Amino acid sequence: MTCAACSGSVERGLLALPGVTHAAVALTQGEAEVTYYSSSITADALAAAVEDLGFDCRVISQAGLESCTLGVLGMTCSACSNAVEKALSAVPGVSKASVDVVGGRAEVWYNPTSTGPRAFLDAVTAAGFAGSLVTTDDSRGSDHKAELEYWRNLLSMALVFTIPVFILAMVLPMTPGTQQVLSAPVFGFRCDELLKWALATPVQFWIGWRFHKGAWKALRRGVANMDVLVALGTDASYFYSVISILHHRFVRHDAMHYTPTDFFETCAMLITVVILGKYLECAAKGKTSAAIQALMALAPEAATLVELDDQGHVVSEETVHSSLIHHGDMLKVLPGGRIPADGELLVGSSYINESMISGESEPVLRATGDPLIGGTINTGNALIMRATRVGADTVLSQIVRLVERAQMSKAPIQAYADYVASLFVPVVVGLALLTWTVWYIAGSVGAYPDTWLPMGHTHFLFALLFGIAVLVIACPCALGLATPTAVMVGTGVGASLGILIKGGDALERGHHVNTVIFDKTGTLTRGRPQVTEAVLFNKQYTMTQVCQLAAAAEAASEHPLARAVLEFAEAQLNKAAAAAAASKAAAAPAGPVGSTAGNPGPKHGSPSNPFVAMYSLDEDHSSGGSTNSHGSAFAAAEAYEQQRRTSSSKGSLSGDGADGWSQHSSGLNSRRAKQQHSASALVYGTQGRG
């Protein structure tokens, strides 16, 4: 489909079929959604009807069924393909299987609650062949790459011929010293005329053949699309040029010393520019559909499939592609991993980041028996779950389908534009014929002086110039493609930003909106907690000391508030380290104060305890490289413990400060053996988690 006339003819053809109640065609996506009674017509009959209209078509989805494509290696004849087809059809739950021996592909339609792709691969293997799953993303991506490559190759070939034609017609005639070569006679014709004729012919009838073929199919259906206009305009320019130079050659105008008018460069450049537009349009469609690809990428590529014994213990694990998950499979989800499919939590509990669905940045606690949504993130413990919805039934797939339907829906203004576009081509052709007729009659009756005629022209050729101009200049593609492209871009960009737009009509009504009410954290905010202010209640300690203690306490936590504290502490410690480095560079140390990177030293009146100056979150100053935050926290506590003992024997800790430090050290001593890798327990100890 190339324009609104094409999509309109497909839509009308589908609606005319028995049993079809609704049909919507998306020009930019190249897809059609049809609602029909299965008792009256089948999906294959719908595809056949579209092919009868002159378009390539294949079924990509059916209600209640899912399809998958398998790559099959080793098939050499029809007997092989029959064996694979029989093996696939024998799998319980398979509705239909078809095998292409030439392409090495097998397409299977099945009930996802009864079977799945793993069973199909086993059936292919049992039949004696090697099978692999071709995912939907791969097929869509390969289709788009193939289309983009097709237009790129076509454009490259067109440029090979069009650029020389342009140089011969526009550049060389203006270049001094080239006239003798260009006007040299060859078989009674000018040299440049023959060269332009030879270069324009492959562009017109080889590279531009797809436009002629599309025009013929459209006219056969009784419609006129953009291909008709391109074919008429370029053919008129080409054949006018041929007639003009042949008329000059055989009517013997040599004595008149004039150059016949030709438009070989016009037809070649017009086809090349249209191909360039198609290439850019195809590239733009690939970029706008990237939002859907980003949504699909939220689902993990692999999942851990497990088997449980009667006591619920894991007896085996296997990593499989997420598209191979079946209904009822037991899956293991590791901390930090994405939920591979919609399901039910069986073992464990954890905080799940469901911001992709709810917009709320705070993770939700999920326990045994709670539902899980595919694509969300497990931020806590390892979990065992059962897959209850896979494939197209998952929430993520439904969101993707919602975006696709929004791109497929027509805005009211688009319906009007499609109607105008369907009438535009016949009106333009009629106006071109009318223009030629009026100018030809006017010349024949002497309505304008013969001096207006270019040298060697007749009234017929002169009038044909104006008719061709109308055909060449007019083109309805912008009218028919502007609105669907805008809807596609708008819904795609909105989806990538977390805004789901349900259709083009919503976008069209957007200019009437005068009040916007926002909901959900993350819409107007950053979507994650952030420390906005820090206040010191005890002036004995500096902000650097507090940040070190808080960072050590939260280093092992995955909670969003803990991450916010760590980010704030890291920024403060980096700032303190930079200030200390600048101070050290400005003046020599005044004495053995014990100031190190990350701490400018104790304030006046604060306890002189080296624990305050032992590490920085982002740098290991002893080794010069990055260090693990858990190890740094433990090293910090160790350093403090040693210094506390030394300082206590000298009596340097006293008053409230000594009591406070003693509480922390008692927590360290009591838990040190059990929690050597837990920074939070090492710091807060008996006081509990803050």
Side-chain angles (χ1 to χ4, degrees):
M1 297 186 296
T2 58
C3 64
C6 297
S7 60
S9 64
V10 172
E11 192 169 305
R12 290 190 297 271
L14 289 171
L15 289 173
L17 297 175
V20 175
T21 60
H22 172 74
V25 180
L27 173 62
T28 53
Q29 290 177 272
E31 294 182 2
E33 185 178 68
V34 186
T35 305
Y36 63 96
Y37 291 104
S38 57
S39 58
S40 302
I41 194 171
T42 63
D44 292 335
L46 295 174
V50 175
E51 290 183 347
D52 289 341
L53 294 174
F55 302 94
D56 296 330
C57 181
R58 62 184 176 91
V59 180
I60 58 177
S61 66
Q62 294 186 55
L65 297 176
E66 290 189 13
S67 68
C68 71
T69 303
L70 306 177
V72 183
L73 298 178
M75 295 188 298
T76 58
C77 61
S78 59
C80 298
S81 62
N82 292 335
V84 173
E85 187 171 325
K86 186 180 296 183
L88 291 172
S89 300
V91 176
V94 172
S95 174
K96 176 188 173 184
S98 59
V99 180
D100 177 17
V101 64
V102 178
R105 295 291 180 95
E107 186 179 39
V108 185
W109 290 91
Y110 64 96
N111 186 346
T113 60
S114 303
T115 185
R118 290 206 313 273
F120 309 148
L121 294 178
D122 293 341
V124 172
T125 303
F129 303 92
S132 62
L133 181 67
V134 180
T135 62
T136 304
D137 292 341
D138 292 340
S139 61
R140 287 185 178 182
S142 61
D143 289 343
H144 176 261
K145 289 181 180 178
E147 184 183 5
L148 191 63
E149 186 69 19
Y150 168 77
W151 287 113
R152 182 188 294 116
N153 293 337
L154 213 59
L155 178 62
S156 301
M157 291 186 295
L159 289 174
V160 169
F161 296 99
T162 302
I163 291 177
V165 172
F166 175 79
I167 293 175
L168 283 170
M170 300 295 181
V171 179
L172 292 183
M174 306 298 176
T175 305
T178 60
Q179 291 299 323
Q180 291 184 350
V181 178
L182 296 178
S183 61
V186 179
F187 303 113
F189 298 93
R190 286 173 55 95
C191 178
D192 58 340
E193 292 173 353
L194 287 181
L195 288 175
K196 288 186 289 184
W197 190 357
L199 291 170
T201 300
V203 178
Q204 182 68 26
F205 297 107
W206 175 41
I207 298 172
W209 178 247
R210 68 169 316 279
F211 299 110
H212 295 80
K213 184 172 63 174
W216 167 248
K217 290 181 179 180
L219 293 175
R220 193 178 62 181
R221 298 190 305 267
V223 298
N225 58 6
M226 189 188 74
D227 289 341
V228 174
L229 204 59
V230 172
L232 282 177
T234 56
D235 283 345
S237 301
Y238 179 86
F239 287 110
Y240 171 86
S241 303
V242 172
I243 293 172
S244 177
I245 63 174
L246 290 178
H247 178 72
H248 171 68
R249 169 69 176 83
F250 293 106
V251 180
R252 302 292 183 180
H253 286 169
D254 298 339
M256 300 177 66
H257 300 292
Y258 83 98
T259 302
T261 305
D262 67 80
F263 297 104
F264 287 120
E265 79 283 354
T266 300
C267 62
M269 291 185 65
L270 181 60
I271 289 178
T272 303
V273 169
V274 172
I275 292 175
L276 173 62
K278 290 294 182 182
Y279 172 74
L280 296 177
E281 176 191 337
C282 184
K285 286 195 296 185
K287 292 179 180 179
T288 53
S289 62
I292 295 180
Q293 299 296 329
L295 287 175
M296 296 298 296
L298 292 176
E301 292 187 359
T304 304
L305 181 66
V306 299
E307 291 185 7
L308 306 179
D309 57 16
D310 296 337
Q311 288 75 33
H313 301 145
V314 177
V315 295
S316 67
E317 294 186 6
E318 179 187 2
T319 301
V320 298
H321 196 277
S322 58
S323 58
L324 296 177
I325 299 174
H326 289 193
H327 184 274
D329 281 346
M330 303 296 177
L331 305 171
K332 181 179 180 180
V333 185
L334 298 176
R338 290 186 179 270
I339 308 297
D342 292 4
E344 178 186 2
L345 181 56
L346 298 181
V347 180
S349 63
S350 179
Y351 282 93
I352 307 298
N353 184 351
E354 298 181 351
S355 58
M356 59 162 282
I357 300 296
S358 64
E360 296 289 352
S361 60
E362 184 176 359
V364 180
L365 178 63
R366 296 298 183 190
T368 302
D370 289 342
L372 298 176
I373 302 175
T376 56
I377 303 174
N378 175 23
T379 63
N381 308 312
L383 305 173
I384 302 295
M385 61 170 289
R386 178 193 294 115
T388 58
R389 289 189 293 182
V390 297
D393 292 336
T394 62
V395 172
L396 185 59
S397 296
Q398 292 175 6
I399 292 176
V400 172
R401 188 58 188 154
L402 177 64
V403 176
E404 290 178 339
R405 286 181 177 176
Q407 294 181 345
M408 189 175 292
S409 65
K410 289 185 178 180
I413 189 63
Q414 182 180 345
Y416 179 73
D418 290 349
Y419 173 74
V420 173
S422 65
L423 300 177
F424 192 84
V425 175
V427 169
V428 168
V429 174
L431 290 175
L433 290 174
L434 179 63
T435 302
W436 172 79
T437 303
V438 170
W439 277 94
Y440 179 68
I441 294 175
S444 301
V445 301
Y448 58 84
D450 290 341
T451 55
W452 285 17
L453 293 175
M455 187 177 297
H457 276 56
T458 63
H459 293 292
F460 174 84
L461 292 176
F462 186 61
L464 195 60
L465 288 176
F466 297 98
I468 292 174
V470 175
L471 282 178
V472 170
I473 293 174
C475 182
C477 57
L479 180 65
L481 289 175
T483 304
T485 303
V487 171
M488 188 174 184
V489 172
T491 53
V493 172
S496 65
L497 299 176
I499 303 172
L500 299 181
I501 303 171
K502 291 188 175 181
D505 55 342
L507 285 173
E508 184 175 340
R509 292 196 302 267
H511 73 283
H512 295 297
V513 174
N514 54 22
T515 303
V516 179
I517 302 175
F518 290 95
D519 188 23
K520 299 292 183 184
T521 303
T523 304
L524 296 179
T525 64
R526 294 178 179 269
R528 54 186 175 85
Q530 185 178 15
V531 177
T532 58
E533 187 177 4
V535 180
L536 290 173
F537 293 101
N538 190 339
K539 300 300 183 181
Q540 268 189 317
Y541 307 109
T542 65
M543 182 59 68
T544 301
Q545 294 171 327
V546 173
C547 288
Q548 288 173 334
L549 293 174
E554 303 292 358
S557 175
E558 295 291 336
H559 197 278
L561 295 181
R563 294 194 187 98
V565 172
L566 285 173
E567 290 176 0
F568 175 78
E570 182 179 8
Q572 292 295 321
L573 293 177
N574 287 340
K575 187 185 300 183
S583 176
K584 187 175 181 179
V593 181
S595 174
T596 62
N599 174 52
K603 283 187 175 182
H604 178 70
S606 64
S608 177
N609 196 300
F611 172 70
V612 181
M614 53 186 175
Y615 80 102
S616 171
L617 280 180
D618 61 329
E619 292 181 312
D620 183 357
H621 293 281
S622 62
S623 61
S626 62
T627 183
N628 183 275
S629 58
H630 294 198
S632 300
F634 182 71
E638 281 285 0
Y640 161 70
E641 177 67 7
Q642 294 175 3
Q643 297 297 333
R644 183 195 65 80
R645 293 171 182 170
T646 304
S647 301
S648 297
S649 62
K650 295 180 180 180
S652 61
L653 292 177
S654 60
D656 294 337
D659 293 339
W661 291 107
S662 297
Q663 290 181 5
H664 291 298
S665 64
S666 65
L668 171 68
N669 292 328
S670 63
R671 286 171 165 77
R672 183 176 174 189
K674 297 181 180 178
Q675 301 180 348
Q676 292 198 1
H677 297 291
S678 175
S680 59
L682 287 171
V683 175
Y684 280 148
T686 57
Q687 291 184 344
R689 187 178 170 90

